[in-house]
Amino acid sequence: MNYGQFFNMFPEVYLTGILLLVFFWDVITCKTNAEDDKPSHRELFNPLVVSLMTAYVVALFFTSSSDAFGGMYISTEAIHVMKIILGVGTVIVLIQSRKWITESLVNGQNGHKEGEFYMLVISTLLGMNMMMSAGHFLMFFLGLEMASVPMACLVAFDRRQKSAEGAAKYILVATFSSGIMLFGISFIYAACGTLYFTDVAELVSIKPLSIMGLVFFFSGLGFKISLVPFHFWTADTYEGAPTTVTGYLSVISKGAAAFTLCTILMKVFQPMVEYWEMMLYVVIVLSITIANLFAIRQSDLKRFMAFSSISQAGYIMLAVVGNNAQGVTALMYYTLIYVVANLAVFTVIAAVEERNAGRTDMDAYNGFYRTNPRLSFLMTLALFSLAGIPPFAGMFSKFFVFMAAAEQGSFGAYFVVFVALINTVVSLYYYLLIVKAMYIKGADNPLPTFMSDLNTKLALALCTAGIVLFGVCSFIYDWLFVAV
């Protein structure tokens, strides 16, 4: 065995090194003071983790395409770019989590779990990277589980009843979906006699065993992306998880799973395109329509954003309908915009929740503009981008997704695009419900004016810059298209 092949897995090796360094730093610095039982000498912990993750993102710009271990690991320019997008999102999550992780943990143990939180986040990102770079179904499955199991720990991080309930539902659904997916992979192996992506693409054919394998595989990954009808865990898990974790789960995890599904459908199951396209048509229409209708009924903002994320997942998968390079580019661009817009919303939710006795209901934002106009304005920008209102970046991401799907040229593709356009109007309505609460509705006791901490300001600044600039900077889309 040539161990030098590990150097071809540079992003994963780098993340593993960061994980080990964070672990040893946590062990060394996690010493308590006998008087107040609080950690000491940990002021540099968060800057250390953020700087390491930033260096990881920068290093990705200088990595090249590679493969290792006989094609089980494959990395292309498109995969590198997707890793950069997810890495940037993870850095923003780490920045915004600083206030919560050090001052808002339960039972007065502020900071004791800081190292564990960072290690779990990095572990999930490592699993997502392995999943996206897999060239073999076994490697893909191991990466998926490496990302899913630590995520359940993150959901349960608050030790609240709702947090434990959300984690239990997440791990049960994740286990069930993994079983279904593994069952589908076994059918694919029975039909083709191999699990290598390139070999399966050459050997797969239209026969009952292959079709059943495709259906089970698609269903299992549909749970991970929370597409309808595999979405029932999403609202309870998003509501129960800590707000920072909810933001991470809604964008980073979803983006990695959507990109992986897109890659496997287009490259591995290309000979069965007429079957998986029909499944996509049904799932996309159901996801966008049902999620939008249920979002209107929500009064809790985290549950509201859960159904919003289901709808956004439908829009992301709309790019796959195009079945071409333009579709992959549109998916990556949509994910990039979704990362900055959604994380901006969750940063504001976390700030309000912390200063309003943990409230996340919509009424907590009544009159918010009168006391906190800046946060209200940034929240409005993020919501408008999610709704696709020009001139914000969300409008351009939706436009490219619609164009990629329409390029397919079939009646089914045109119908799905038409349904998605109608649902865009519906989504605008329920996003404006939050804007109405902040700007129009009054409150007897509105949330008092408060100053956000430096980390929250930095996270919001990064997200807002992305919302405003990514749409007008055409070189971003050109860069993604060249990578594909």
Side-chain angles (χ1 to χ4, degrees):
M1 179 178 178
N2 181 12
Y3 291 99
Q5 294 182 88
F6 282 108
F7 291 102
N8 293 336
M9 305 169 62
F10 173 79
E12 289 73 23
V13 172
Y14 198 118
L15 273 182
T16 303
I18 295 176
L19 182 62
L20 293 175
L21 184 59
V22 170
F23 171 76
F24 287 115
W25 183 274
D26 183 52
V27 171
I28 294 171
T29 60
C30 192
K31 297 179 180 180
T32 57
N33 188 300
E35 296 179 359
D36 55 12
D37 193 36
K38 290 184 179 179
S40 57
H41 309 296
R42 297 175 63 83
E43 293 80 5
L44 296 178
F45 199 88
N46 184 262
L48 170 70
V49 177
V50 173
S51 61
L52 288 174
M53 289 302 298
T54 304
Y56 159 75
V57 173
V58 172
L60 287 177
F61 284 93
F62 302 98
T63 54
S64 57
S65 301
S66 60
D67 63 87
F69 304 107
M72 292 191 72
Y73 175 91
I74 299 174
S75 189
T76 63
E77 290 297 324
I79 294 174
H80 279 313
V81 171
M82 197 64 191
K83 289 178 181 178
I84 292 172
I85 294 172
L86 300 184
V88 169
T90 304
V91 170
I92 296 175
V93 169
L94 294 177
I95 292 173
Q96 70 169 220
S97 66
R98 173 64 174 173
K99 180 75 172 177
W100 164 73
I101 200 66
T102 56
E103 298 183 9
S104 302
L105 289 179
V106 295
N107 299 327
Q109 297 189 9
N110 299 338
H112 282 281
K113 304 298 181 182
E114 188 177 3
E116 295 178 15
F117 175 78
Y118 295 135
M119 284 185 281
L120 288 171
V121 171
I122 296 172
S123 298
T124 58
L125 185 62
L126 176 60
M128 294 173 202
N129 281 3
M130 294 293 293
M131 179 177 66
M132 291 187 295
S133 290
H136 189 278
F137 276 107
L138 180 58
M139 180 71 78
F140 160 77
F141 185 77
L142 291 177
L144 183 66
E145 293 306 296
M146 194 187 303
S148 299
V149 176
M151 188 66 74
C153 300
L154 287 172
V155 174
F157 211 76
D158 248 359
R159 296 184 184 177
R160 296 178 289 111
Q161 181 177 355
K162 283 189 175 182
S163 186
E165 178 186 350
K169 291 181 178 179
Y170 178 82
I171 196 64
L172 287 174
V173 173
T175 304
F176 181 65
S177 63
S178 296
I180 291 178
M181 184 185 300
L182 204 56
F183 196 42
I185 292 174
S186 68
F187 280 151
I188 296 170
Y189 181 76
C192 302
T194 180
L195 291 177
Y196 282 94
F197 288 172
T198 53
D199 294 339
V200 172
E202 296 176 357
L203 298 172
V204 71
S205 59
I206 308 299
K207 52 186 178 182
L209 204 59
S210 300
I211 295 174
M212 288 299 296
L214 171 62
V215 170
F216 280 118
F217 175 81
F218 184 89
S219 301
L221 206 50
F223 278 106
K224 308 296 183 183
I225 309 176
S226 63
L227 296 167
V228 174
F230 318 110
H231 69 289
F232 294 102
W233 60 274
T234 311
D236 292 331
T237 299
Y238 279 33
E239 182 184 16
T243 301
T244 298
V245 176
T246 303
Y248 182 71
L249 179 62
S250 69
V251 292
I252 310 301
S253 177
K254 191 183 298 294
F259 178 80
T260 305
L261 179 59
C262 172
T263 302
I264 293 177
L265 288 179
M266 289 186 178
K267 293 184 177 180
V268 181
F269 293 109
Q270 184 64 32
M272 305 175 66
V273 60
E274 64 269 21
Y275 289 91
W276 59 256
E277 272 190 352
M278 185 56 63
M279 285 193 296
L280 272 180
Y281 293 157
V282 175
V283 167
I284 289 171
V285 170
L286 290 177
S287 297
I288 297 176
T289 305
I290 293 178
N292 282 347
L293 295 177
F294 274 85
I296 297 174
R297 303 174 55 190
Q298 303 306 312
S299 58
D300 184 272
L301 199 52
K302 290 173 72 173
R303 294 183 70 88
F304 172 91
M305 293 303 297
F307 286 104
S308 168
S309 73
I310 297 171
S311 175
Q312 298 290 345
Y315 284 106
I316 291 174
M317 296 311 299
L318 189 61
V320 186
V321 173
N323 192 25
N324 52 28
Q326 185 179 354
V328 179
T329 307
L331 185 147
M332 296 166 64
Y333 185 76
Y334 197 104
T335 303
L336 173 63
I337 305 307
Y338 182 54
V339 164
V340 293
N342 220 45
L343 287 181
V345 173
F346 278 105
T347 302
V348 176
I349 293 175
V352 173
E353 180 184 17
E354 179 189 352
R355 293 165 177 83
N356 205 6
R359 290 183 61 186
T360 57
D361 57 286
M362 201 87 71
D363 291 338
Y365 292 82
N366 291 346
F368 190 55
Y369 175 76
R370 296 182 179 88
T371 55
N372 294 274
R374 294 180 181 177
L375 282 180
S376 300
F377 178 70
L378 296 181
M379 181 79 151
T380 303
L381 292 184
L383 292 172
F384 281 178
S385 182
L386 289 174
I389 296 178
F392 306 109
M395 186 274 290
F396 295 95
S397 64
K398 280 188 168 57
F399 172 78
F400 289 130
V401 163
F402 292 153
M403 287 296 295
E407 283 290 324
Q408 208 273 342
S410 66
F411 172 79
Y414 289 138
F415 175 76
V416 174
V417 171
F418 176 72
V419 173
L421 283 170
I422 294 176
N423 276 279
T424 302
V425 180
V426 179
S427 66
L428 173 60
Y429 167 75
Y430 64 71
Y431 285 127
L432 286 176
L433 292 177
I434 306 176
V435 178
K436 177 183 177 182
M438 293 189 298
Y439 286 86
I440 299 177
K441 284 188 176 181
D444 296 332
N445 297 303
L447 183 66
T449 304
F450 62 88
M451 291 293 294
S452 301
D453 60 282
L454 180 61
N455 291 281
T456 299
K457 291 179 179 179
L458 178 58
L460 283 173
L462 293 173
C463 292
T464 305
I467 293 169
V468 175
L469 297 178
F470 286 161
V472 297
C473 295
S474 60
F475 71 88
I476 297 292
Y477 183 84
D478 296 336
W479 172 56
L480 296 176
F481 187 79
V482 170
V484 174

